[in-house]
Amino acid sequence: MPARPQHNLRLIRALAGVAALGLAASLAACSSGGSSGGDSGGSVADEVTPGDPFAPETTDVSLTGIKGPGTIPLQTAADEFGAEYGLTIEPYFVDNSGVAVTSVISGDAAAANTSYFGVIDAIQQGLDLVVIAEGWASSPLTSSLETLPSSGITELADLEGKTVNVISLSSSHAIKLRDAMLKEGLDPDAVDWVELPYGEVAAALEQGTIDASSAVGPTLAAVRALGGVSVFDYGAGDYEGMAESGWVASREFAEANPNTIAAIQCSLFDAQGALVEDRAYFEEQFSAFLGAPPAVAAAEVMLDYQSENRLDEIQRNADVYFESGRLTEEFDLTEYVLPAPESCDAA
């Protein structure tokens, strides 16, 4: 497979620490050609016809996202399902959702797994992004805000004045926390929000560099091994069932390669469905992908992976974003959700 262009890799590294909103603005200013995502003049769902997943125009594709339980399907699709649709999928992994979106815009990745909030930011800044596949839904006990007893944090009210890690400032975790704090009459702007990758979370908590952090999968297990306790469950209460993360592509790539996008959609939905259908298979993939011991895999609460696009649940992200105060106007995210093939079965 051709190597990803080195100038694009340098761009991604240079932008790694930039928040998604500023990142989107910078890229919008640099982009040439194409229509503005915010002024595209119609719904993608109305304008784009699903392609033929068995006749991809481009057969070698790179896909990216944060390495964690949510991207197990990416590796599974690369290893076992892409070939069924004529694809050779090369996975690679980044530190946060902002960088994942940059990878798509820069052309390094045909598609990326990311939270929807940064995608909304990017579209409003004029970047033509489309959601091609839902990843997983919020469910209890799969991701939480964790802290150590020494922090003195036991509830959301204790976060004001503390340093809290949310992986990405545009992540679903960050926006849900902001939304939940506002609903309790708290001030999320009184929190010192930071971005650290999952691999650094346990040590940062132990050293006192941060007071609390989002945690999932092996990171959650590592924090719990230190005596960590949950302050907030991202998949419970008002957020249960909400589309948590999805796969996005540039509209330009999708329009030029509708069959390739269809093949990617089918590969990902097949992989996500296979994990849900077979717990033993999920544990095997979890251990292999994340290097986790079998005991950790056996104790893991599996994400609620999806095999179709649920428009109402995807739209909830835009609604929560607006309610959180970070989005100044209501936004119809469903207009940017690309239809999936009616069937991924060979004719």
Side-chain angles (χ1 to χ4, degrees):
M1 174 175 294
R4 294 188 299 278
Q6 291 303 306
H7 69 281
N8 284 339
L9 288 175
R10 287 195 293 270
L11 170 64
I12 288 173
R13 294 188 185 109
L15 292 172
V18 183
L21 183 58
L23 177 153
S26 299
L27 287 174
C30 295
S31 63
S32 60
S35 61
S36 166
D39 302 309
S40 54
S43 166
V44 173
D46 293 336
E47 296 175 6
V48 178
T49 301
D52 177 359
F54 294 96
E57 300 88 356
T58 300
T59 58
D60 289 1
V61 293
S62 294
L63 274 64
T64 191
I66 301 170
K67 189 165 187 175
T71 48
I72 293 173
L74 167 52
Q75 190 66 57
T76 303
D79 293 342
E80 301 190 26
F81 291 99
E84 295 181 15
Y85 303 100
L87 291 181
T88 299
I89 299 174
E90 178 194 8
Y92 71 100
F93 302 97
V94 294
D95 286 341
N96 61 56
S97 292
V99 181
V101 171
T102 309
S103 299
V104 168
I105 297 303
S106 69
D108 270 330
N113 182 272
T114 180
S115 69
Y116 296 97
F117 301 108
V119 173
I120 294 171
D121 284 341
I123 290 172
Q124 292 203 320
Q125 289 293 328
L127 298 182
D128 273 339
L129 292 173
V130 291
V131 177
I132 64 171
E134 186 175 344
W136 69 92
S138 300
S139 55
L141 305 178
T142 56
S143 59
S144 55
L145 182 71
E146 296 288 310
T147 188
L148 299 183
S150 58
S151 71
I153 299 172
T154 60
E155 58 184 351
L156 291 181
D158 298 325
L159 297 180
E160 294 182 355
K162 298 297 177 66
T163 301
V164 178
N165 178 52
V166 287
I167 311 303
S168 169
L169 297 178
S170 62
S171 69
S172 64
H173 294 172
I175 303 305
K176 286 177 180 177
L177 275 176
R178 182 180 180 87
D179 182 60
M181 290 184 72
L182 287 171
K183 286 177 179 176
E184 293 189 14
L186 304 171
D187 182 10
D189 292 326
V191 176
D192 180 16
W193 303 104
V194 298
E195 298 175 307
L196 292 175
Y198 284 122
E200 298 178 18
V201 166
L205 283 171
E206 191 172 28
Q207 295 164 6
T209 307
I210 56 177
D211 299 304
S213 177
S214 297
V216 300
T219 300
L220 180 55
V223 173
R224 291 287 174 81
L226 295 174
V229 293
S230 177
V231 177
F232 182 77
D233 188 329
Y234 295 113
D238 292 343
Y239 309 109
E240 185 169 0
M242 174 179 164
E244 175 81 10
S245 188
W247 300 88
V248 301
S250 73
R251 184 166 179 169
E252 179 181 8
F253 183 86
E255 290 178 341
N257 301 275
N259 297 346
T260 300
I261 289 294
I264 293 172
Q265 290 172 310
C266 286
S267 298
L268 291 170
F269 281 143
D270 283 356
Q272 290 169 181
L275 294 169
V276 170
E277 291 169 5
D278 188 338
R279 174 71 199 194
Y281 180 66
F282 164 75
E283 291 181 18
E284 173 189 320
Q285 296 296 309
F286 184 95
S287 290
F289 182 59
L290 297 174
V296 172
E300 177 73 3
V301 178
M302 180 167 49
L303 295 178
D304 188 9
Y305 300 112
Q306 298 298 306
S307 297
E308 62 179 357
N309 289 329
R310 304 170 305 146
L311 294 180
D312 288 347
E313 297 299 339
I314 292 174
Q315 176 59 27
R316 283 178 66 187
N317 285 269
D319 297 340
V320 168
Y321 207 9
F322 178 70
E323 292 165 3
S324 77
R326 288 288 302 276
L327 195 62
T328 57
E329 296 180 353
E330 293 185 357
F331 183 84
D332 188 354
L333 182 56
T334 65
E335 291 188 356
Y336 300 90
V337 180
L338 199 69
E342 290 186 7
S343 174
C344 292
D345 297 328

